[in-house]
């Protein structure tokens, strides 16, 4: 594509050099530049792309989009814009042939539940005969192509590339987790949504947004922008039980469907039955019974996620009978209230909960079906919202019998400082243990558990790594928990040889 065509979607502040250059690709990472590429200098959290323009030129870039004054090598055509990140979305959309216009694009935003909701939508649509792709926290998938996700919502260039891959793979529906960062940083610019889904809003990311008002404003952008573009038949789907629902309804200039449990929503769950193996409920639409179904995950939060997915599926033409049949067979979402079954006589649950509300939800649900003690292992991420740490400590100490505080991606922060912040919220009504070695903390929790207890390992969920100041190591909560069970089982067998005593009280 000629550079002049790409520039046509921008409003450059200044141009320098020829626009009659053939562009072979677009990149924002100078290390990936190939001859003929357009390099977009994007300011990042750690590095600024403007500092690598010379490297991009050496590697063969022929043009650069910039958003601040910088020395540009004379062989590069320079396109100066107000916001290079926003420009990236607009240029990428054009370069890849406006892929979102050729798909039904469903965006799911909210503090908690985005991943599970997108997985449920994906399962409902695919089992009903649609070809669906997904972009989210766990992975991205387009047809047979699947990769682990780097972040919840990719940079605009990567997102448009994935959408183009979906078009090529004959995907009909693209299901996207849309984070507040993605909305604030214009990662979804150039992406036209058909459906926007709101799950909930609770405290998180205040290190970035500053306060809850800014956080909400970022989420609201998905709904206020839903009416733009050329596509028709759009919809906003909003959790009416959340206090911010009225604002999002007002922001939505397209038809709105609400869902919920407590309020008189368009789609409601009634007669909810929660068990350790799942959640069963009746679906009411406009007060009329549409069927009875279940999801294989316990907890009211699971019902909310299911209702959001049900609203999407019904709008996309999936019959109520199919919805009721498909939901109970939904595959578990990695790291979302995921049980670890290694033959132990107590429950072990892995969950991604890393906010006060998320931790409270899974602790209350665990408490509901646990006859014995609840033991929770958790920490808080470094270089992230510090204000939520004491709140998570308070929640854990109120709802668990034993709290084991450990590390969770401390990044550049001192883990002891993070633990200190958590301890400020701890109440004295429970046993508290600090173990900065996460593997040791998990092993300790498993060793403490007796038949009928539950061990909840929170914060990392599906992640298979841990981030420190100077390294990233392999770490999988599920893997460590399984190993811990095996070690104790072997110790029990050894002890029986000597004294017929089994760690878990079995003869």
């Amino acid at each position: 594509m000629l550079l002049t065509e790409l520039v046509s979607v921008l409003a450059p502040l200044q141009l320098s050099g020829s626009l009659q250059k053939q562009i072979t690709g677009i990149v924002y990472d100078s290390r990936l530049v190939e001859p003929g590429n357009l390099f977009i200098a994007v300011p990042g959290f750690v590095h600024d792309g403007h500092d690598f323009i010379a490297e991009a030129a050496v590697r063969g870039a022929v043009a650069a989009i910039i958003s601040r004054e910088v020395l540009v090598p004379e062989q590069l055509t320079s396109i100066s814009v107000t916001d290079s990140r926003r420009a990236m979305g607009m240029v990428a959309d054009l370069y890849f042939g406006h892929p979102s216009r050729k798909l039904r694009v469903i965006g799911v935003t909210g503090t908690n539940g985005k991943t599970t909701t997108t997985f449920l939508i994906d399962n409902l649509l695919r089992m009903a005969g649609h070809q669906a792709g997904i972009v989210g926290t766990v992975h991205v998938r387009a047809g047979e192509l699947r990769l682990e996700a780097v972040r919840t919502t990719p940079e605009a260039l990567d997102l448009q590339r994935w959408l183009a891959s979906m078009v090529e793979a004959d995907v009909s529906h693209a299901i996207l987790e849309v984070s507040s960062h993605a909305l604030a940083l214009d990662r979804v610019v150039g992406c036209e949504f058909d459906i926007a889904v709101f799950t909930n809003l609770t405290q998180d990311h205040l290190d970035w947004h500053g306060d809850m008002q800014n956080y909400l404003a970022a989420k609201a952008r998905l709904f206020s922008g839903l009416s733009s573009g050329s596509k028709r038949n759009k919809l906003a789907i909003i959790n009416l039980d959340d206090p911010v629902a009225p604002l999002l309804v007002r922001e939505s200039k397209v038809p709105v469907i609400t869902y919920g449990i407590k309020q008189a929503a368009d789609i409601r769950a009634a007669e909810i039955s929660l068990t350790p193996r799942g959640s069963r409920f009746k679906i009411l639409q406009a007060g009329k019974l549409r069927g009875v179904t279940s999801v294989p995950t316990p907890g009211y939060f699971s019902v909310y996620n299911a209702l959001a997915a049900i609203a999407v599926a019904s709008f996309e033409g999936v019959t109520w009978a199919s919805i009721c049949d498909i939901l109970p067979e939904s595959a578990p979402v990695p790291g979302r209230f995921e049980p670890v079954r290694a033959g132990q006589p107590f429950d072990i649950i892995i969950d991604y909960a890393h906010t006060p509300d998320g931790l409270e939800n899974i602790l209350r649900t665990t408490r509901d079906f646990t006859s014995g003690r609840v033991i929770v292992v958790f920490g808080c991420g470094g270089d992230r919202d510090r204000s939520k740490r004491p709140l998570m400590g308070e929640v854990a100490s109120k709802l668990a019998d034993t709290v084991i505080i450990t590390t969770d991606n401390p990044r550049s922060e001192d883990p002891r400082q993070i633990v200190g912040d958590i301890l400020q919220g701890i109440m004295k009504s429970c046993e508290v243990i600090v173990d900065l070695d996460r593997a040791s903390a998990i092993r300790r929790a498993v060793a403490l558990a007796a038949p009928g207890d539950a061990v909840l390992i929170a914060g990392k969920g599906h992640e298979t790594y841990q981030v420190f100041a100077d390294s990233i190591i392999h770490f999988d909560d599920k893997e460590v928990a399984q190993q811990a069970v095996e070690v104790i089982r072997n110790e029990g067998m050894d002890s029986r040889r000597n004294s017929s005593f089994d760690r878990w009280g079995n003869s």
Side-chain angles (χ1 to χ4, degrees):
M1 185 176 290
L2 281 176
L3 181 58
T4 185
E5 187 177 350
L6 289 173
V7 173
S8 68
V9 298
L10 305 176
L13 300 174
Q14 187 174 352
L15 292 169
S16 176
S18 173
L19 296 179
Q20 300 305 310
K21 293 181 177 179
Q22 194 71 32
I23 300 301
T24 59
I26 305 173
V27 294
Y28 60 88
D29 185 337
S30 61
R31 297 168 297 183
L32 303 179
V33 170
E34 295 181 355
N37 282 179
L38 166 64
F39 176 67
I40 304 179
V42 177
F45 293 115
V46 178
H47 301 292
D48 186 341
H50 293 83
D51 297 332
F52 299 93
I53 290 177
E55 180 184 348
V58 170
R59 291 179 178 273
V62 296
I65 292 177
I66 61 175
S67 57
R68 68 173 173 84
E69 287 190 16
V70 64
L71 180 63
V72 178
E74 61 181 12
Q75 68 264 40
L76 298 186
T77 298
S78 173
I79 303 108
S80 178
V81 298
T82 302
D83 185 342
S84 56
R85 188 180 289 275
R86 183 173 183 82
M88 180 163 64
M90 298 166 67
V91 168
D93 172 50
L94 174 60
Y95 185 79
F96 288 108
H98 307 294
S100 67
R101 300 180 191 179
K102 303 168 186 175
L103 300 160
R104 291 286 290 172
V105 182
I106 302 160
V108 180
T109 195
T111 306
N112 301 312
K114 295 188 295 296
T115 300
T116 300
T117 300
T118 56
F119 268 69
L120 291 173
I121 295 169
D122 176 63
N123 193 59
L124 283 169
L125 293 178
R126 286 192 297 111
M127 294 300 291
H130 298 286
Q131 297 297 318
I134 198 165
V135 177
T137 305
V138 176
H139 63 236
V140 288
R141 189 192 71 239
E144 298 301 316
L145 183 62
R146 181 187 303 223
L147 290 175
E148 285 190 13
V150 175
R151 53 175 59 90
T152 298
T153 311
E155 293 287 359
L157 179 62
D158 303 316
L159 176 58
Q160 294 298 330
R161 183 180 290 111
W162 272 105
L163 293 176
S165 296
M166 291 185 191
V167 172
E168 187 176 347
D170 294 323
V171 165
S172 59
H173 292 73
I175 309 161
L176 278 55
E177 288 187 55
V178 185
S179 68
S180 59
H181 286 78
L183 290 160
L185 293 172
D186 289 327
R187 290 179 189 159
V188 294
V189 165
C191 183
E192 185 175 352
F193 290 90
D194 297 274
I195 300 175
V197 180
F198 170 72
T199 59
N200 51 65
L201 189 82
T202 62
Q203 181 174 334
D204 200 12
H205 306 306
L206 297 192
D207 55 313
W208 167 252
H209 296 290
D211 56 40
M212 290 298 291
Q213 288 72 30
N214 291 334
Y215 185 27
L216 173 58
K219 296 290 187 186
R221 290 177 65 173
L222 181 63
F223 296 86
S224 60
L226 194 57
S227 59
S228 62
S230 59
K231 295 194 285 185
R232 298 292 179 266
N233 197 30
K234 297 187 178 185
L235 182 71
I237 297 174
I238 296 171
N239 176 5
L240 192 60
D241 288 349
D242 193 279
V244 305
L247 182 144
L248 295 178
V249 170
R250 291 194 300 271
E251 289 289 331
S252 304
K253 309 306 179 187
V254 300
V256 175
I257 287 179
T258 59
Y259 67 93
I261 297 173
K262 303 172 185 176
Q263 303 295 324
D266 299 314
I267 296 177
R268 291 184 60 232
E271 298 184 28
I272 300 170
S273 174
L274 305 178
T275 73
R277 299 300 179 188
S279 308
R280 185 176 176 84
F281 55 95
K282 290 182 176 180
I283 307 172
L284 303 179
Q285 184 203 31
K288 297 181 180 179
L289 178 65
R290 296 299 184 182
V292 180
T293 192
S294 63
V295 287
T297 309
Y300 284 99
F301 64 92
S302 298
V303 178
Y304 279 108
N305 295 335
L307 288 172
I310 288 167
V312 172
S314 63
F315 186 69
E316 292 302 290
V318 182
T319 66
W320 291 107
S322 294
I323 289 171
C324 292
D325 289 342
I326 294 170
L327 271 178
E329 304 302 320
S330 299
V333 182
R336 270 60 178 180
F337 216 84
E338 182 179 4
V340 176
R341 298 189 176 101
Q344 78 280 1
F346 52 86
D347 290 302
I348 301 177
I349 300 157
I350 307 293
D351 197 88
Y352 190 55
H354 57 279
T355 67
D357 183 69
L359 187 61
E360 180 175 354
N361 284 337
I362 60 171
L363 277 170
R364 289 193 183 280
T365 299
T366 303
R367 175 66 73 189
D368 285 343
F369 62 75
T370 301
S371 59
R373 297 174 304 156
V374 173
I375 304 166
V376 62
V377 180
F378 83 102
C380 290
D383 303 331
R384 298 295 186 268
D385 182 6
R386 289 186 61 177
S387 64
K388 71 179 181 181
R389 295 172 186 173
L391 300 178
M392 292 182 69
E394 180 180 358
V395 166
S397 62
K398 282 183 177 179
L399 298 175
D401 299 288
T402 300
V403 176
I404 303 179
I405 305 172
T406 187
T407 56
D408 178 349
N409 296 335
R411 300 182 178 88
S412 69
E413 278 197 72
D414 183 343
R416 292 168 295 183
Q417 175 63 54
I418 298 173
V419 170
D421 291 341
I422 296 171
L423 288 172
Q424 291 179 20
I426 291 287
M427 305 179 72
K428 297 181 180 179
S429 58
C430 68
E431 179 184 17
V432 179
I433 299 169
V434 174
D435 189 336
L436 294 179
D437 182 331
R438 191 174 180 93
S440 172
I442 293 172
R443 290 193 293 267
R444 184 176 296 201
V446 172
L448 286 172
D453 289 349
V455 174
L456 176 62
I457 306 169
K460 293 184 62 60
H462 65 284
E463 293 179 354
T464 57
Y465 57 84
Q466 194 164 15
V467 184
F468 295 91
D470 56 357
S471 64
I472 299 176
I473 66 170
H474 172 78
F475 196 95
D476 186 327
D477 282 352
K478 184 176 181 179
E479 184 180 286
V480 174
Q482 290 171 330
Q483 292 169 353
V485 171
E486 187 62 28
V487 167
I488 293 176
R489 179 182 291 109
N490 291 336
E491 288 177 351
M493 293 176 67
D494 291 341
S495 66
R496 281 199 299 273
R497 294 189 185 101
N498 298 322
S499 62
S500 70
F501 174 76
D502 185 344
R503 161 70 183 81
W504 286 322
N506 299 319
S507 61

